Amino acid sequence: MEINKSNFLCSNSDWKKCPKPNLPEYAFIGRSNVGKSSLINALTNSKKLAKTSGKPGKTQLINHFLINNNFYLADLPGYGYAKISKKIREEFQSFTLKYLENRENLVCLFMLIDLRVPPQKIDLEFMEYCAVKKIPFVICFTKADKLKKVEIEENTNNYKNLLLKEWEFFPVNFTTSSTKKTGLEDIKGFINEHNILFKS
Ligand code: GDP
């Protein structure tokens, strides 16, 4: 699937004000600095559709983009950045969770995980939450260009073994690098397949 049109639609903190749920939607979430904005930009062939910055914790609203006039991407606030006050963190987490639990056209959540970092409690807890709430998600490992092939395998297996201790299966996962533009076609293929299912 080619992405040839992407438009920013709106930013808000209330799921009820999100665009009309008439198109399939894919949301992106992860710890601050995981590479979420870079991945959205790489997928949409854009330099600044989503804002990238070295400063973690910048995107704190739900940002909606219309892609190819055919589906929505939602860029969700990054979680787990220590310098945000507890109150703000609780606030944006609560609206993000409300969005996840109520957004009827949400086809899949892409949970971004930096492959260089060992499994983090906050990511594992978030996956558990999605499983309990039956929010469909896939894992998207980021910044693969910073690792050697064996390290990618090793770190992916660490996650796999950890999750399989409690879960029956390891979620669908993608290994990506926005810098080297790898893994992007797999994600677009996944979205394309689900777009077709959404409309049938
Ligand atoms: P966000 O906070 O999750 O939106 O993260 P950003 O997309 O702003 O990226 C955070 C930092 O990681 C920036 O310095 C990016 O240049 C860097 N980064 C993001 N994706 C990649 C990647 O695929 N490879 C490498 N090497 N660096 C990346």
Side-chain angles (χ1 to χ4, degrees):
M1 176 181 61
E2 287 297 316
I3 290 188
N4 41 38
K5 202 165 177 227
S6 30
N7 298 99
F8 168 73
L9 293 179
C10 56
S11 293
N12 66 72
S13 60
D14 182 352
W15 68 273
K16 290 183 192 135
K17 292 185 187 152
C18 290
K20 208 167 141 204
N22 56 345
L23 294 174
E25 181 156 312
Y26 304 86
F28 289 71
I29 200 163
R31 290 193 302 129
S32 301
N33 226 23
V34 69
K36 182 164 54 74
S37 311
S38 304
L39 184 63
I40 293 174
N41 289 340
L43 283 169
T44 54
N45 290 318
S46 137
K47 285 208 167 67
K48 50 179 186 188
L49 188 69
K51 293 192 179 74
T52 31
S53 81
K55 255 195 205 153
K58 230 181 150 191
T59 343
Q60 285 169 34
L61 293 169
I62 301 168
N63 294 307
H64 268 89
F65 307 104
L66 175 63
I67 311 297
N68 288 356
N69 289 325
N70 191 29
F71 64 96
Y72 297 123
L73 288 189
D75 182 6
L76 304 179
Y79 56 78
Y81 176 50
K83 280 190 185 163
I84 293 174
S85 77
K86 196 164 168 249
K87 186 171 175 289
I88 295 177
R89 189 159 38 194
E90 277 167 5
E91 242 165 55
F92 86 72
Q93 276 183 1
S94 100
F95 74 69
T96 305
L97 300 186
K98 277 190 191 131
Y99 160 87
L100 290 172
E101 287 169 22
N102 291 293
R103 186 70 171 153
E104 63 196 81
N105 60 332
L106 179 64
V107 174
C108 188
L109 175 67
F110 286 83
M111 199 176 298
L112 272 58
I113 289 184
D114 187 334
L115 204 43
R116 298 168 309 165
V117 182
Q120 299 288 299
K121 192 165 169 256
I122 192 162
D123 289 324
L124 297 169
E125 280 175 3
F126 195 68
M127 284 184 210
E128 183 66 38
Y129 156 82
C130 288
V132 169
K133 296 285 181 187
K134 300 199 173 12
I135 297 161
F137 74 93
V138 295
I139 296 178
C140 195
F141 292 113
T142 62
K143 307 191 189 181
D145 58 287
K146 292 207 172 175
L147 294 172
K148 297 192 187 96
K149 206 171 165 225
V150 288
E151 293 171 317
I152 292 177
E153 262 173 43
E154 217 173 271
N155 297 4
T156 310
N157 280 334
N158 275 345
Y159 256 100
K160 199 171 179 174
N161 294 334
L162 200 68
L163 286 180
L164 288 180
K165 277 190 192 160
E166 301 208 10
W167 297 26
E168 276 168 32
F169 63 93
F170 188 50
V172 170
N173 59 97
F174 301 99
T175 302
T176 68
S177 159
S178 303
T179 315
K180 296 266 195 259
K181 302 209 179 304
T182 49
L184 306 180
E185 289 309 315
D186 294 337
I187 294 183
K188 287 193 259 185
F190 177 91
I191 291 178
N192 196 30
E193 278 170 25
H194 286 78
N195 282 346
I196 294 166
L197 289 174
F198 184 92
K199 279 160 196 169
S200 64

